[in-house]
Amino acid sequence: CKENNKTKEKDKKAEYKIGKKESRIFFFMSFAILLLAYLPYYIRFCPGLLTADSINQVIQGLGLSELQNHHPLLHTAMISVFVNIGKAYGNINSGVNLYITFQMLVVISVFSCLLTYLFKKNTPKILIILTLIYYSLNPIFGLYTITMWKYLLIQEVRDSI
């Protein structure tokens, strides 16, 4: 009788195991939903929102000012790459938009990874759906994804590791 119960428990666990294919599908579905949710912010505020610090970082990235340790050098270097690509094509705003696009895709990927992790751990579906709705409809997330800000991208990448 005990062996029979153990077999049934194993069968139940195996029944709820999420495969790689389902995880990938769920990741890309979450990604697509979040991308669609944040797209209006991206279009409305194109090329993106800049803080006073990020304007300073753009200036440093263009070589118009000395690098300062007040801003994370890695973040300033990333901004510099994108802004100089835009400058090479004759429009710094294009470089800012490239950076914002990159940042938005990274942030959406991090959120989708979190949701996929919950999905893999058999978190109740209602909780996953509510989390996805929260990330999708809370305007602060939409605005943060399109704001060039020294804390946002570094924090997202650090927290996802």
Side-chain angles (χ1 to χ4, degrees):
C1 208
K2 286 183 181 180
E3 288 180 28
N4 211 6
N5 286 339
K6 287 181 183 179
T7 307
K8 286 181 182 178
E9 286 178 27
K10 285 182 183 179
D11 288 342
K12 284 183 182 179
K13 286 181 182 177
E15 186 178 319
Y16 293 107
K17 189 169 182 175
I18 308 294
K20 286 184 180 181
K21 183 178 180 181
E22 291 87 0
S23 295
R24 286 185 186 138
I25 291 169
F26 184 82
F27 174 85
F28 286 113
M29 284 178 41
S30 300
F31 189 93
I33 290 168
L34 290 168
L35 184 62
L36 288 173
Y38 298 157
L39 207 53
Y41 297 99
Y42 180 79
I43 292 168
R44 169 65 178 92
F45 295 105
C46 190
L49 302 174
L50 280 75
T51 64
D53 281 343
S54 59
I55 292 170
N56 198 351
Q57 287 180 281
V58 168
I59 291 169
Q60 289 176 27
L62 290 170
L64 303 175
S65 172
E66 285 186 20
L67 288 175
Q68 301 170 3
N69 203 18
H70 174 70
H71 308 292
L73 293 177
L74 177 62
H75 189 245
T76 302
M78 286 182 358
I79 291 172
S80 176
V81 168
F82 289 103
V83 170
N84 282 307
I85 289 171
K87 182 180 176 185
Y89 286 100
N91 189 347
I92 294 171
N93 284 334
S94 296
V96 170
N97 188 257
L98 279 174
Y99 174 84
I100 294 296
T101 302
F102 170 75
Q103 175 177 280
M104 188 169 143
L105 295 175
V106 168
V107 171
I108 291 171
S109 294
V110 169
F111 289 164
S112 296
C113 282
L114 170 71
L115 291 164
T116 303
Y117 175 80
L118 294 174
F119 180 70
K120 283 180 174 179
K121 293 297 181 183
N122 291 318
T123 304
K125 302 268 187 274
I126 188 70
L127 185 59
I128 297 171
I129 291 168
L130 289 174
T131 304
L132 179 59
I133 290 170
Y134 178 72
Y135 282 147
S136 299
L137 299 182
N138 188 336
I140 204 76
F141 294 116
L143 289 170
Y144 272 5
T145 59
I146 55 138
T147 302
M148 185 185 287
W149 194 30
K150 63 184 174 184
Y151 301 114
L152 179 72
L153 191 58
I154 301 297
Q155 188 74 26
E156 287 292 331
V157 171
R158 189 196 78 191
D159 289 349
S160 67
I161 296 175

